[in-house]
Amino acid sequence: MSMNFGREQSLLRQRLTAVGSPTAAAARQQELGGEVTSLGAPDSEVRAAALALVETYPQMGRAQMTAFVRTLWASKIHELRAVGVEILAARAALLEPADLPFLEKLLGDETAAPLVGPLADGALGDLVARNKKLWKDLERFVKSGRKLLRRAAAAAVRQAVAADAALFARFEKLVQPLLADADAATNHELDRVLTALAATNHDAVRDYADRHGRKLKLPRPPAKKAAAAKVLPAARPLKKAAIKKPAIKKAAKKAAKKTTRK
C-alpha cells in the first residue's frame, strides 16, 4: 500500500483534534512558546495514532519513514511531531548511522524541547545500542554547549547500558561534564536514566548517587539466589548383628550325641 503523506497528515490532525482539550492545549502552548501549535491531545492518543499508522504500513522502509517524519515535523504541530517520534521509536531498527545528522537536527530543534527525551531514548538510543562507535558523537553532543543535545546524550545511552552493565563506567564518564551546569530538565533526564539503570546496575547506580548527592527513588535490588543446599550422601543401612546361639542349647546337643554313641 502506497503512503500519501499529505492525506495521512490530514487524517492525523483530524483524529488528534477530535480528542484534544482546549485546556490541555493552552497548558502545552505555554511550554512550547509561540512557534509551535498544540492540539491538546493526550499522549496515549498520540501513541495510539502512531501505532495505527505503523500497523497500516508494515512495509514502510527507512527512506519513507524518515521522509514522513520530516513532513510531520514541518507542520509545527506538537502532536504530529510526537507521532513522528513514536514512529521512529517503533521502527528504530530501520535507522542506520547515516541517519545521525537527521536525528541530530530534530534533537537540536529548540521548538521541540519536550520531545528530546523520548526521541533520544527511543530512536537514537536504539541506534547507539547497535553501533557503539556513535558514543563519540554523544561526547560531541555533551561538549557542544547546546542544552538540548547535551540532554539527548544523557538519554540516548540508557538502552546500551541496560543491555551491557560493563558500560556503566563509560556512561558515568560521558555525563560527568553535565553535572556542574545541567539545567532542571537535563537533571531530570539524568535521574530518570539512572533510576531505569538500577534494574541491571543497582550497586553502581547507588554508589554513583551517593557520590554525587543525587536523591533517587531506586527499586529494591534483585534478590540474590540462595545457595543450593548440599545433598548429604544417603546413610548406609546398618548390618544386622549376628545372633549368637545360647550356650545352653550347644551343651544339650553335645550330651545328646554322647548318649547315642553308648
Side-chain angles (χ1 to χ4, degrees):
M1 183 187 301
S2 61
M3 188 176 187
N4 184 313
F5 291 177
R7 176 178 177 274
E8 294 301 340
Q9 178 175 307
S10 178
L11 290 173
L12 278 173
R13 183 169 184 169
Q14 291 174 28
R15 172 175 178 166
L16 295 174
T17 299
V19 296
S21 157
T23 303
R28 177 69 76 180
Q29 201 67 55
Q30 289 183 345
E31 185 181 4
L32 295 170
E35 292 185 45
V36 178
T37 303
S38 173
L39 303 175
D43 292 342
S44 58
E45 292 292 340
V46 169
R47 284 191 291 271
L51 179 59
L53 267 173
V54 169
E55 292 177 344
T56 301
Y57 297 100
Q59 79 286 4
M60 184 191 297
R62 169 176 167 252
Q64 189 178 51
M65 175 181 70
T66 54
F68 183 52
V69 172
R70 285 188 177 95
T71 299
L72 296 176
W73 212 262
S75 71
K76 292 193 175 181
I77 297 175
H78 171 73
E79 285 79 5
L80 297 190
R81 288 179 166 187
V83 167
V85 170
E86 293 289 343
I87 291 174
L88 288 174
R91 292 286 178 83
L94 295 176
L95 294 170
E96 299 178 2
D99 294 310
L100 182 64
F102 160 66
L103 295 175
E104 183 174 347
K105 184 177 181 179
L106 302 186
L107 290 164
D109 189 340
E110 294 288 342
T111 66
L115 298 176
V116 168
L119 178 58
D121 186 28
L124 180 57
D126 183 272
L127 188 60
V128 170
R130 291 183 284 110
N131 300 273
K132 300 296 192 299
K133 64 181 182 180
L134 295 181
W135 278 75
K136 68 180 187 299
D137 291 286
L138 299 184
E139 293 168 2
R140 176 172 58 81
F141 283 12
V142 170
K143 295 175 183 177
S144 70
R146 298 174 63 185
K147 63 179 182 180
L148 294 186
L149 291 182
R150 286 159 63 87
R151 191 185 308 165
V157 292
R158 181 193 62 80
Q159 292 193 47
V161 181
D164 183 358
L167 291 174
F168 188 86
R170 192 171 184 180
F171 159 78
E172 186 173 353
K173 183 179 178 181
L174 174 73
V175 302
Q176 186 64 32
L178 301 178
L179 300 180
D181 58 353
D183 59 13
T186 301
N187 272 316
H188 174 77
E189 197 63 44
L190 273 171
D191 289 346
R192 186 191 68 81
V193 172
L194 284 165
T195 302
L197 293 178
T200 52
N201 302 69
H202 191 277
D203 291 343
V205 170
R206 171 58 67 192
D207 176 67
Y208 181 88
D210 290 344
R211 282 188 286 113
H212 296 287
R214 305 193 79 88
K215 295 181 180 180
L216 303 176
K217 187 176 181 180
L218 300 180
R220 291 183 180 181
K224 295 180 180 180
K225 293 182 179 179
K230 293 183 179 180
V231 179
L232 297 174
R236 294 180 180 179
L238 296 175
K239 292 182 178 180
K240 292 182 180 180
I243 300 175
K244 293 183 179 180
K245 295 180 180 181
I248 298 175
K249 289 185 176 181
K250 288 183 177 181
K253 284 184 177 181
K254 286 182 180 180
K257 285 180 180 180
K258 286 181 180 179
T259 307
T260 303
R261 287 174 183 172
K262 290 179 181 179

